[in-house]
Amino acid sequence: VFQRADGGTLFLDEVAEMPLSMQTRFLRALETGEFTPVGGRSLVRSDIRLLAATHRDLTTEVSQGRFRQDLYFRLKVVVIDSPPLRERKEDIPILVATFLERFQPSGGRGVVDREAMCLLVEHDYPGNVRELMTVIQTAVNLAQGGPITIACLPKEMRRSSALTTCRRNFEGNTTLPLAEVEKRHILNVYHQSGANKSQTARLLGIGLNTLRRRLKQYGTP
C-alpha cells in the first residue's frame, strides 16, 4: 500500500489495532520514506501523505504498552477529534436522510414518521455511525416502500426508556388542529437538521419549494 500510495494519500483505519511488531517497521518506513516490499530485496522509496484513524484513546494505549510512544508522537501532527454520535445528535437527521437515499430502491423516497425519528435521535449508538447506517438499511427493507415507523426499528431501541420519552413528547398532539401538528413537526425536523432546508425537505418527503412556503408562512427564515 505504501507503493500504491506513492505521491498521494494513504488512509489507515483503526491504526491502534496494528501489532507492535508491525508498528516498528511502520515507524521506520514513515521516518525514512523507504521500505523493502514483501518478497523484495531492494529498498523502495515512497512519498505519501498519511491519515490515520482510531476509536481508541492512543494515550491510554501507549501507557499500557499496546502502542509505541514514538509512533504515537510521529502520527500526532494534526489531530481531529470526532465525538461519538451520541454527543452530536444534531447530525442524526442529516445522516438518516443520507442513508435513506443510499438504501431506498431506485425512484423511491424514504419517509420516517415523527416517533421513529425521535427514537433514532434519542438512541445512544454504542456502534456509532455504522450502527445508525445498519438500522436505517434494515428499516428500509422492513418498511417495503412505506414510511419507517417504530415497528421497523430494532427491539433494543423500542424497549429503551427513550421510547417512553418520545411518546410523552407527542402526547396530546392528536387533539391539536392538523395545521398546528404539521407546523410543529416541520419546525422540529428543520431545527434538528441544523436549519438545512434541503435535508429537511428530504426528511419530510416534500418538495423544497413547498418547505420554503411553509417556513415563510411560519415566519421562519
Side-chain angles (χ1 to χ4, degrees), residues 169-217:
N169 288 343
F170 294 116
E171 213 169 48
N173 276 3
T174 53
T175 63
L176 294 174
L178 181 59
E180 180 64 21
V181 174
E182 179 185 71
K183 175 183 176 180
R184 292 188 183 190
H185 183 48
I186 289 175
L187 291 178
N188 181 49
V189 175
Y190 179 62
H191 293 307
Q192 284 185 353
S193 70
N196 185 311
K197 291 184 175 66
S198 297
Q199 294 288 356
T200 302
R202 280 197 288 270
L203 283 170
L204 294 169
I206 62 177
L208 186 55
N209 288 334
T210 300
L211 175 65
R212 286 172 175 157
R213 284 196 300 271
R214 290 288 191 279
L215 292 176
K216 185 177 179 180
Q217 179 183 338

Short mmCIF file of all heavy atoms in Angstrom, two decimals, residues 169-217:
data_model
loop_
_atom_site.label_atom_id
_atom_site.label_comp_id
_atom_site.label_asym_id
_atom_site.label_seq_id
_atom_site.Cartn_x
_atom_site.Cartn_y
_atom_site.Cartn_z
N ASN A 169 -43.45 13.14 24.60
CA ASN A 169 -43.27 14.39 23.86
C ASN A 169 -44.43 14.67 22.91
O ASN A 169 -44.79 15.82 22.66
CB ASN A 169 -41.97 14.35 23.06
CG ASN A 169 -40.75 14.46 23.96
OD1 ASN A 169 -40.86 14.88 25.10
ND2 ASN A 169 -39.59 14.09 23.44
N PHE A 170 -44.99 13.58 22.35
CA PHE A 170 -46.05 13.75 21.36
C PHE A 170 -47.45 13.56 21.96
O PHE A 170 -48.44 13.64 21.26
CB PHE A 170 -45.86 12.77 20.20
CG PHE A 170 -44.63 13.05 19.40
CD1 PHE A 170 -43.59 12.13 19.35
CD2 PHE A 170 -44.49 14.25 18.72
CE1 PHE A 170 -42.45 12.40 18.60
CE2 PHE A 170 -43.35 14.53 17.99
CZ PHE A 170 -42.33 13.61 17.93
N GLU A 171 -47.50 13.30 23.26
CA GLU A 171 -48.79 13.05 23.91
C GLU A 171 -49.69 14.28 23.81
O GLU A 171 -49.27 15.40 24.05
CB GLU A 171 -48.56 12.72 25.39
CG GLU A 171 -49.56 11.73 25.95
CD GLU A 171 -49.11 11.26 27.33
OE1 GLU A 171 -48.75 12.11 28.16
OE2 GLU A 171 -49.09 10.04 27.56
N GLY A 172 -50.91 14.06 23.41
CA GLY A 172 -51.85 15.16 23.33
C GLY A 172 -51.87 15.88 22.01
O GLY A 172 -52.75 16.68 21.74
N ASN A 173 -50.89 15.60 21.13
CA ASN A 173 -50.85 16.28 19.85
C ASN A 173 -52.05 15.95 18.97
O ASN A 173 -52.39 16.71 18.07
CB ASN A 173 -49.55 15.93 19.11
CG ASN A 173 -48.40 16.80 19.56
OD1 ASN A 173 -48.54 17.63 20.43
ND2 ASN A 173 -47.26 16.61 18.93
N THR A 174 -52.67 14.78 19.23
CA THR A 174 -53.79 14.38 18.38
C THR A 174 -54.99 15.30 18.57
O THR A 174 -55.88 15.33 17.73
CB THR A 174 -54.21 12.94 18.71
OG1 THR A 174 -54.45 12.83 20.11
CG2 THR A 174 -53.12 11.96 18.32
N THR A 175 -55.04 16.07 19.67
CA THR A 175 -56.17 16.97 19.88
C THR A 175 -55.93 18.34 19.25
O THR A 175 -56.82 19.18 19.25
CB THR A 175 -56.42 17.16 21.39
OG1 THR A 175 -55.27 17.77 21.99
CG2 THR A 175 -56.66 15.83 22.07
N LEU A 176 -54.72 18.56 18.73
CA LEU A 176 -54.40 19.83 18.11
C LEU A 176 -54.93 19.85 16.68
O LEU A 176 -55.08 18.81 16.04
CB LEU A 176 -52.88 20.04 18.08
CG LEU A 176 -52.19 20.20 19.43
CD1 LEU A 176 -50.68 20.24 19.22
CD2 LEU A 176 -52.65 21.47 20.12
N PRO A 177 -55.20 21.04 16.15
CA PRO A 177 -55.57 21.13 14.73
C PRO A 177 -54.45 20.55 13.86
O PRO A 177 -53.27 20.65 14.19
CB PRO A 177 -55.71 22.65 14.52
CG PRO A 177 -55.96 23.21 15.87
CD PRO A 177 -55.20 22.33 16.82
N LEU A 178 -54.86 19.96 12.73
CA LEU A 178 -53.88 19.31 11.87
C LEU A 178 -52.80 20.27 11.42
O LEU A 178 -51.61 19.92 11.36
CB LEU A 178 -54.60 18.73 10.64
CG LEU A 178 -53.72 17.98 9.64
CD1 LEU A 178 -53.01 16.81 10.31
CD2 LEU A 178 -54.56 17.49 8.46
N ALA A 179 -53.17 21.52 11.14
CA ALA A 179 -52.19 22.50 10.67
C ALA A 179 -51.13 22.77 11.74
O ALA A 179 -49.95 22.96 11.44
CB ALA A 179 -52.90 23.81 10.29
N GLU A 180 -51.55 22.78 13.02
CA GLU A 180 -50.60 23.02 14.11
C GLU A 180 -49.67 21.84 14.30
O GLU A 180 -48.47 22.01 14.55
CB GLU A 180 -51.36 23.31 15.40
CG GLU A 180 -50.46 23.59 16.62
CD GLU A 180 -49.62 24.84 16.46
OE1 GLU A 180 -49.97 25.71 15.65
OE2 GLU A 180 -48.58 24.93 17.15
N VAL A 181 -50.21 20.61 14.18
CA VAL A 181 -49.38 19.41 14.27
C VAL A 181 -48.32 19.43 13.17
O VAL A 181 -47.14 19.16 13.39
CB VAL A 181 -50.24 18.14 14.17
CG1 VAL A 181 -49.35 16.90 14.11
CG2 VAL A 181 -51.20 18.06 15.35
N GLU A 182 -48.77 19.78 11.94
CA GLU A 182 -47.85 19.85 10.81
C GLU A 182 -46.76 20.90 11.05
O GLU A 182 -45.58 20.65 10.81
CB GLU A 182 -48.62 20.18 9.53
CG GLU A 182 -47.73 20.28 8.30
CD GLU A 182 -48.49 20.73 7.07
OE1 GLU A 182 -48.89 21.91 7.01
OE2 GLU A 182 -48.70 19.89 6.19
N LYS A 183 -47.17 22.06 11.55
CA LYS A 183 -46.21 23.14 11.80
C LYS A 183 -45.16 22.70 12.81
O LYS A 183 -43.95 22.89 12.59
CB LYS A 183 -46.95 24.37 12.32
CG LYS A 183 -46.03 25.51 12.74
CD LYS A 183 -46.82 26.68 13.31
CE LYS A 183 -45.89 27.78 13.82
NZ LYS A 183 -46.64 28.93 14.40
N ARG A 184 -45.60 22.12 13.92
CA ARG A 184 -44.65 21.69 14.95
C ARG A 184 -43.68 20.64 14.42
O ARG A 184 -42.47 20.67 14.71
CB ARG A 184 -45.41 21.13 16.16
CG ARG A 184 -46.20 22.19 16.91
CD ARG A 184 -46.77 21.62 18.21
NE ARG A 184 -47.60 22.60 18.90
CZ ARG A 184 -48.06 22.44 20.14
NH1 ARG A 184 -47.78 21.32 20.81
NH2 ARG A 184 -48.79 23.36 20.72
N HIS A 185 -44.21 19.72 13.64
CA HIS A 185 -43.36 18.65 13.11
C HIS A 185 -42.33 19.21 12.12
O HIS A 185 -41.14 18.88 12.18
CB HIS A 185 -44.22 17.59 12.43
CG HIS A 185 -43.43 16.43 11.91
ND1 HIS A 185 -42.47 15.77 12.66
CD2 HIS A 185 -43.45 15.81 10.70
CE1 HIS A 185 -41.94 14.80 11.95
NE2 HIS A 185 -42.51 14.81 10.75
N ILE A 186 -42.77 20.08 11.22
CA ILE A 186 -41.86 20.66 10.24
C ILE A 186 -40.76 21.46 10.93
O ILE A 186 -39.57 21.31 10.61
CB ILE A 186 -42.63 21.54 9.23
CG1 ILE A 186 -43.47 20.66 8.31
CG2 ILE A 186 -41.67 22.41 8.42
CD1 ILE A 186 -44.37 21.43 7.36
N LEU A 187 -41.14 22.29 11.89
CA LEU A 187 -40.14 23.12 12.58
C LEU A 187 -39.19 22.26 13.41
O LEU A 187 -38.00 22.56 13.51
CB LEU A 187 -40.84 24.16 13.46
CG LEU A 187 -41.59 25.26 12.71
CD1 LEU A 187 -42.28 26.21 13.70
CD2 LEU A 187 -40.64 26.04 11.80
N ASN A 188 -39.71 21.19 14.01
CA ASN A 188 -38.86 20.29 14.80
C ASN A 188 -37.80 19.65 13.91
O ASN A 188 -36.61 19.64 14.24
CB ASN A 188 -39.72 19.21 15.46
CG ASN A 188 -38.89 18.28 16.32
OD1 ASN A 188 -38.09 18.71 17.14
ND2 ASN A 188 -39.07 16.98 16.13
N VAL A 189 -38.22 19.11 12.76
CA VAL A 189 -37.26 18.49 11.84
C VAL A 189 -36.29 19.53 11.29
O VAL A 189 -35.09 19.26 11.15
CB VAL A 189 -38.02 17.77 10.69
CG1 VAL A 189 -37.04 17.23 9.65
CG2 VAL A 189 -38.88 16.64 11.24
N TYR A 190 -36.81 20.71 10.99
CA TYR A 190 -35.98 21.79 10.45
C TYR A 190 -34.86 22.17 11.42
O TYR A 190 -33.69 22.29 11.03
CB TYR A 190 -36.87 23.01 10.16
CG TYR A 190 -36.14 24.21 9.61
CD1 TYR A 190 -35.46 24.16 8.40
CD2 TYR A 190 -36.15 25.43 10.29
CE1 TYR A 190 -34.81 25.27 7.88
CE2 TYR A 190 -35.50 26.54 9.79
CZ TYR A 190 -34.84 26.46 8.58
OH TYR A 190 -34.18 27.57 8.08
N HIS A 191 -35.19 22.32 12.69
CA HIS A 191 -34.16 22.69 13.67
C HIS A 191 -33.22 21.52 13.95
O HIS A 191 -32.01 21.72 14.15
CB HIS A 191 -34.81 23.17 14.97
CG HIS A 191 -35.55 24.47 14.81
ND1 HIS A 191 -34.97 25.59 14.27
CD2 HIS A 191 -36.84 24.81 15.10
CE1 HIS A 191 -35.84 26.58 14.25
NE2 HIS A 191 -36.99 26.13 14.74
N GLN A 192 -33.73 20.29 13.95
CA GLN A 192 -32.87 19.12 14.15
C GLN A 192 -31.85 18.96 13.02
O GLN A 192 -30.76 18.44 13.23
CB GLN A 192 -33.71 17.85 14.27
CG GLN A 192 -34.40 17.68 15.61
CD GLN A 192 -35.13 16.35 15.73
OE1 GLN A 192 -35.22 15.60 14.77
NE2 GLN A 192 -35.63 16.06 16.90
N SER A 193 -32.21 19.41 11.84
CA SER A 193 -31.30 19.27 10.69
C SER A 193 -30.34 20.45 10.59
O SER A 193 -29.62 20.57 9.60
CB SER A 193 -32.11 19.16 9.39
OG SER A 193 -32.73 20.38 9.07
N GLY A 194 -30.32 21.29 11.61
CA GLY A 194 -29.41 22.43 11.58
C GLY A 194 -29.85 23.51 10.62
O GLY A 194 -29.01 24.20 10.03
N ALA A 195 -31.17 23.66 10.41
CA ALA A 195 -31.74 24.66 9.50
C ALA A 195 -31.31 24.42 8.06
O ALA A 195 -31.21 25.37 7.27
CB ALA A 195 -31.38 26.08 9.96
N ASN A 196 -31.08 23.16 7.73
CA ASN A 196 -30.72 22.80 6.35
C ASN A 196 -32.00 22.48 5.59
O ASN A 196 -32.65 21.45 5.83
CB ASN A 196 -29.77 21.59 6.37
CG ASN A 196 -29.27 21.24 4.98
OD1 ASN A 196 -30.04 21.12 4.04
ND2 ASN A 196 -27.96 21.06 4.88
N LYS A 197 -32.40 23.36 4.68
CA LYS A 197 -33.69 23.21 4.00
C LYS A 197 -33.74 21.98 3.11
O LYS A 197 -34.75 21.26 3.07
CB LYS A 197 -33.99 24.46 3.17
CG LYS A 197 -34.27 25.72 4.00
CD LYS A 197 -34.65 26.88 3.11
CE LYS A 197 -35.04 28.12 3.92
NZ LYS A 197 -33.91 28.67 4.67
N SER A 198 -32.65 21.69 2.40
CA SER A 198 -32.64 20.53 1.50
C SER A 198 -32.79 19.24 2.29
O SER A 198 -33.58 18.35 1.93
CB SER A 198 -31.34 20.50 0.68
OG SER A 198 -31.26 21.63 -0.15
N GLN A 199 -32.06 19.12 3.40
CA GLN A 199 -32.14 17.92 4.22
C GLN A 199 -33.52 17.80 4.86
O GLN A 199 -34.08 16.70 4.94
CB GLN A 199 -31.06 17.96 5.32
CG GLN A 199 -29.64 17.88 4.80
CD GLN A 199 -29.28 16.50 4.27
OE1 GLN A 199 -30.08 15.57 4.36
NE2 GLN A 199 -28.10 16.36 3.71
N THR A 200 -34.07 18.94 5.30
CA THR A 200 -35.39 18.91 5.92
C THR A 200 -36.45 18.44 4.94
O THR A 200 -37.31 17.61 5.27
CB THR A 200 -35.76 20.32 6.44
OG1 THR A 200 -34.77 20.74 7.38
CG2 THR A 200 -37.12 20.31 7.14
N ALA A 201 -36.39 18.96 3.72
CA ALA A 201 -37.36 18.56 2.70
C ALA A 201 -37.28 17.06 2.42
O ALA A 201 -38.30 16.38 2.28
CB ALA A 201 -37.13 19.36 1.42
N ARG A 202 -36.05 16.54 2.37
CA ARG A 202 -35.89 15.10 2.11
C ARG A 202 -36.42 14.28 3.28
O ARG A 202 -37.07 13.25 3.07
CB ARG A 202 -34.41 14.78 1.86
CG ARG A 202 -33.95 15.10 0.45
CD ARG A 202 -32.63 14.40 0.13
NE ARG A 202 -31.52 15.00 0.84
CZ ARG A 202 -30.79 15.99 0.36
NH1 ARG A 202 -31.07 16.51 -0.82
NH2 ARG A 202 -29.78 16.48 1.05
N LEU A 203 -36.14 14.73 4.51
CA LEU A 203 -36.63 14.00 5.68
C LEU A 203 -38.15 13.97 5.73
O LEU A 203 -38.76 12.97 6.11
CB LEU A 203 -36.09 14.64 6.96
CG LEU A 203 -34.63 14.34 7.33
CD1 LEU A 203 -34.19 15.24 8.47
CD2 LEU A 203 -34.46 12.89 7.71
N LEU A 204 -38.78 15.09 5.35
CA LEU A 204 -40.23 15.19 5.41
C LEU A 204 -40.92 14.58 4.20
O LEU A 204 -42.13 14.36 4.21
CB LEU A 204 -40.64 16.66 5.55
CG LEU A 204 -40.23 17.35 6.86
CD1 LEU A 204 -40.45 18.85 6.75
CD2 LEU A 204 -41.00 16.78 8.03
N GLY A 205 -40.13 14.33 3.14
CA GLY A 205 -40.72 13.77 1.93
C GLY A 205 -41.55 14.78 1.15
O GLY A 205 -42.53 14.42 0.50
N ILE A 206 -41.14 16.07 1.21
CA ILE A 206 -41.86 17.12 0.48
C ILE A 206 -40.88 17.86 -0.41
O ILE A 206 -39.66 17.74 -0.25
CB ILE A 206 -42.56 18.11 1.44
CG1 ILE A 206 -41.53 18.83 2.32
CG2 ILE A 206 -43.60 17.40 2.29
CD1 ILE A 206 -42.14 19.88 3.23
N GLY A 207 -41.40 18.63 -1.35
CA GLY A 207 -40.55 19.40 -2.24
C GLY A 207 -39.91 20.58 -1.52
O GLY A 207 -40.46 21.10 -0.54
N LEU A 208 -38.77 21.02 -2.02
CA LEU A 208 -38.05 22.13 -1.40
C LEU A 208 -38.87 23.42 -1.46
O LEU A 208 -38.90 24.19 -0.49
CB LEU A 208 -36.70 22.33 -2.09
CG LEU A 208 -35.74 23.36 -1.49
CD1 LEU A 208 -35.47 23.07 -0.02
CD2 LEU A 208 -34.43 23.38 -2.27
N ASN A 209 -39.54 23.66 -2.58
CA ASN A 209 -40.37 24.87 -2.69
C ASN A 209 -41.54 24.84 -1.70
O ASN A 209 -41.91 25.87 -1.13
CB ASN A 209 -40.90 25.02 -4.12
CG ASN A 209 -39.80 25.43 -5.09
OD1 ASN A 209 -38.82 26.04 -4.69
ND2 ASN A 209 -39.97 25.09 -6.36
N THR A 210 -42.10 23.65 -1.49
CA THR A 210 -43.18 23.51 -0.51
C THR A 210 -42.68 23.86 0.88
O THR A 210 -43.35 24.57 1.65
CB THR A 210 -43.74 22.08 -0.52
OG1 THR A 210 -44.24 21.78 -1.82
CG2 THR A 210 -44.86 21.91 0.51
N LEU A 211 -41.50 23.35 1.22
CA LEU A 211 -40.92 23.64 2.53
C LEU A 211 -40.68 25.14 2.69
O LEU A 211 -40.98 25.72 3.75
CB LEU A 211 -39.61 22.88 2.71
CG LEU A 211 -38.84 23.21 4.00
CD1 LEU A 211 -39.64 22.77 5.22
CD2 LEU A 211 -37.47 22.55 4.00
N ARG A 212 -40.15 25.78 1.65
CA ARG A 212 -39.89 27.22 1.73
C ARG A 212 -41.17 28.00 1.97
O ARG A 212 -41.19 28.97 2.74
CB ARG A 212 -39.19 27.68 0.45
CG ARG A 212 -37.73 27.27 0.36
CD ARG A 212 -37.15 27.58 -0.99
NE ARG A 212 -35.71 27.28 -1.03
CZ ARG A 212 -35.04 27.03 -2.14
NH1 ARG A 212 -35.66 27.02 -3.32
NH2 ARG A 212 -33.75 26.77 -2.10
N ARG A 213 -42.25 27.60 1.31
CA ARG A 213 -43.54 28.28 1.52
C ARG A 213 -44.02 28.11 2.94
O ARG A 213 -44.52 29.05 3.57
CB ARG A 213 -44.57 27.74 0.53
CG ARG A 213 -44.41 28.24 -0.90
CD ARG A 213 -45.66 27.98 -1.73
NE ARG A 213 -45.99 26.57 -1.82
CZ ARG A 213 -45.53 25.75 -2.76
NH1 ARG A 213 -44.72 26.23 -3.70
NH2 ARG A 213 -45.88 24.48 -2.78
N ARG A 214 -43.85 26.88 3.49
CA ARG A 214 -44.29 26.62 4.86
C ARG A 214 -43.48 27.48 5.85
O ARG A 214 -44.05 28.08 6.77
CB ARG A 214 -44.12 25.15 5.20
CG ARG A 214 -45.07 24.21 4.47
CD ARG A 214 -46.50 24.34 5.00
NE ARG A 214 -47.34 23.28 4.50
CZ ARG A 214 -47.93 23.27 3.32
NH1 ARG A 214 -47.77 24.30 2.50
NH2 ARG A 214 -48.68 22.25 2.95
N LEU A 215 -42.17 27.51 5.67
CA LEU A 215 -41.31 28.26 6.59
C LEU A 215 -41.63 29.76 6.52
O LEU A 215 -41.63 30.45 7.55
CB LEU A 215 -39.84 28.02 6.26
CG LEU A 215 -39.32 26.60 6.53
CD1 LEU A 215 -37.88 26.47 6.06
CD2 LEU A 215 -39.43 26.24 8.01
N LYS A 216 -41.89 30.25 5.32
CA LYS A 216 -42.28 31.66 5.18
C LYS A 216 -43.59 31.92 5.90
O LYS A 216 -43.75 32.95 6.58
CB LYS A 216 -42.39 32.02 3.69
CG LYS A 216 -42.67 33.50 3.45
CD LYS A 216 -42.71 33.80 1.96
CE LYS A 216 -43.01 35.28 1.73
NZ LYS A 216 -43.05 35.60 0.26
N GLN A 217 -44.52 30.97 5.77
CA GLN A 217 -45.81 31.09 6.44
C GLN A 217 -45.64 31.11 7.96
O GLN A 217 -46.36 31.81 8.68
CB GLN A 217 -46.68 29.90 6.03
CG GLN A 217 -48.05 29.85 6.67
CD GLN A 217 -48.81 28.59 6.25
OE1 GLN A 217 -48.53 27.98 5.23
NE2 GLN A 217 -49.76 28.19 7.06
#
